[in-house]
Amino acid sequence: MRNLNPKTFKLILFLTIIVTLVFSGLSAPKLIIKQSYNSSSFNTINPVQNKWNGFEIIEFKFNGVDAKIVFPKKPNSTKNWIWRTQFWAHEPQTDIALLNQGFHVVYVDVVDLYGNTVALNRLSDFYNFLIKNFGLNKKTVLEGMSRGGLDAFNWASENTDKVFCIYVDAPVCDIKSWPGGLGKGQGSKNDWEKCLKAYDLTELSVKDFKGIPLNNCLKLAKAKIPIISVCGDADTVVPFEENSLKLAEIYRAAGGKIELIVKKGIGHHPHSLQDPKPIVDFILKHTKNR
């Protein structure tokens, strides 16, 4: 350094400071997210941090299956969150809109379990993990797309004290309708076989099986949990009449409140709405964020 003139020395010092600030700035999001964890749990789950639609996301294994948590840029004061039960990132406009409102978005894999006891136990374990380690609100918003409706309704009916409201989208409300195809729907032979196995049922015993949303929604109505369902009236996969419409009739008769957004002439796809505002407004209203 003795050979450097004062101007050169100042320039090197200035550049060193700038580089330090830039690189420390790049690492800041990881530090902020890590501080929101219980530190021991952060090390245990070995999360991979990434970006999802401009938001910080961590992806990790929870009890051997995929799990994800997306962080809002600024959490709301009540630490609210929406819990997608199936089909991660499909038609994510509602999730993104809620992230912009300060919600977290979470997911844990319960694929091919069709809302059975194994799925519900895994969801409960994940719920406890989230509450303990992330300080989220003790009540959640459940989001069930298609077969995810089985997970959302079944878990909520056993955990009514942990649910603000439910958003479902072309939801399966009766396994006999889908994947069984025992009504108007086309069904799915492969899924039907897996579903019967998941519940330890047969083609005969399933006819008397009561553990479906059309029945357990009565617990939700008693707990006065609001529901919003978006569906197409031309759905041949999960027929509207056998699922959302039938559940709405049962729910209202039991004193529950449910809103139906029926898309005329639309089938099972596309899910959600191009503009998710009606869904988001419903959720904000029932989480007291508006």
Side-chain angles (χ1 to χ4, degrees):
M1 286 293 184
R2 287 179 296 180
N3 296 326
L4 296 177
N5 63 48
K7 287 185 178 180
T8 304
F9 178 79
K10 287 181 180 179
L11 178 60
I12 292 173
L13 181 61
F14 175 76
L15 290 174
T16 301
I17 293 171
I18 292 298
V19 169
T20 301
L21 288 173
V22 167
F23 279 95
S24 65
L26 289 173
S27 63
K30 289 187 179 181
L31 180 60
I32 291 169
I33 287 182
K34 188 168 182 177
Q35 286 175 346
S36 71
Y37 283 81
N38 174 298
S39 58
S40 60
S41 294
F42 186 90
N43 295 327
T44 300
I45 64 177
N46 296 316
V48 174
Q49 189 175 335
N50 213 325
K51 286 281 190 178
W52 185 77
N53 288 291
F55 297 90
E56 299 292 332
I57 181 174
I58 58 167
E59 302 175 84
F60 55 99
K61 292 292 183 181
F62 178 79
N63 292 348
V65 300
D66 291 340
K68 307 174 193 292
I69 304 172
V70 188
F71 295 80
K73 293 175 182 176
K74 184 180 179 181
N76 56 38
S77 60
T78 48
K79 298 295 285 292
N80 284 329
W81 49 298
I82 184 166
W83 191 350
R84 181 178 281 238
T85 58
Q86 296 268 359
F87 304 108
W88 173 255
H90 179 65
E91 298 288 352
Q93 46 267 47
T94 297
D95 297 340
I96 294 169
L98 288 172
L99 281 162
N100 285 319
Q101 293 287 336
F103 278 60
H104 289 66
V105 180
V106 311
Y107 167 85
V108 67
D109 188 355
V110 287
V111 70
D112 290 343
L113 294 174
Y114 308 93
N116 72 353
T117 301
V118 176
L120 303 191
N121 288 341
R122 184 180 298 166
L123 293 172
S124 290
D125 288 346
F126 192 57
Y127 170 88
N128 292 332
F129 169 81
L130 292 170
I131 299 304
K132 177 181 178 181
N133 297 293
F134 295 88
L136 299 182
N137 196 302
K138 290 186 178 180
K139 285 193 174 184
T140 186
V141 176
L142 286 162
E143 177 182 13
M145 281 192 178
S146 191
R147 71 184 72 182
L150 293 171
D151 306 299
F153 283 130
N154 289 356
W155 190 82
S157 70
E158 298 299 323
N159 296 275
T160 56
D161 60 325
K162 300 178 179 69
V163 180
F164 276 122
C165 60
I166 301 172
Y167 156 49
V168 285
D169 206 293
V172 177
C173 302
D174 183 355
I175 59 173
K176 294 188 295 297
S177 174
W178 188 94
L182 301 182
K184 295 180 179 179
Q186 61 197 46
S188 169
K189 185 176 184 298
N190 182 50
D191 280 295
W192 185 226
E193 291 172 355
K194 289 191 290 185
C195 183
L196 290 176
K197 184 177 180 180
Y199 280 99
D200 194 22
L201 294 169
T202 66
E203 295 273 4
L204 183 62
S205 63
V206 72
K207 294 178 181 178
D208 297 319
F209 181 60
K210 303 300 181 184
I212 57 175
L214 291 183
N215 295 323
N216 62 37
C217 72
L218 296 176
K219 296 179 183 178
L220 303 176
K222 184 177 180 181
K224 302 191 180 304
I225 294 176
I227 300 170
I228 185 168
S229 181
V230 178
C231 34
D233 66 358
D235 192 338
T236 59
V237 178
V238 183
F240 171 61
E241 295 86 355
E242 297 174 0
N243 292 276
S244 285
L245 180 59
K246 192 169 183 179
L247 184 136
E249 291 170 349
I250 294 169
Y251 207 64
R252 287 167 179 159
K257 292 185 178 180
I258 181 170
E259 292 186 22
L260 293 180
I261 298 179
V262 182
K263 299 178 286 189
K264 300 295 182 181
I266 300 299
H268 194 60
H269 294 281
H271 289 295
S272 191
L273 303 171
Q274 284 190 335
D275 179 359
K277 188 175 186 301
I279 304 167
V280 174
D281 286 349
F282 176 91
I283 292 170
L284 294 180
K285 175 183 177 182
H286 293 291
T287 53
K288 300 178 181 178
N289 271 263
R290 186 177 177 185

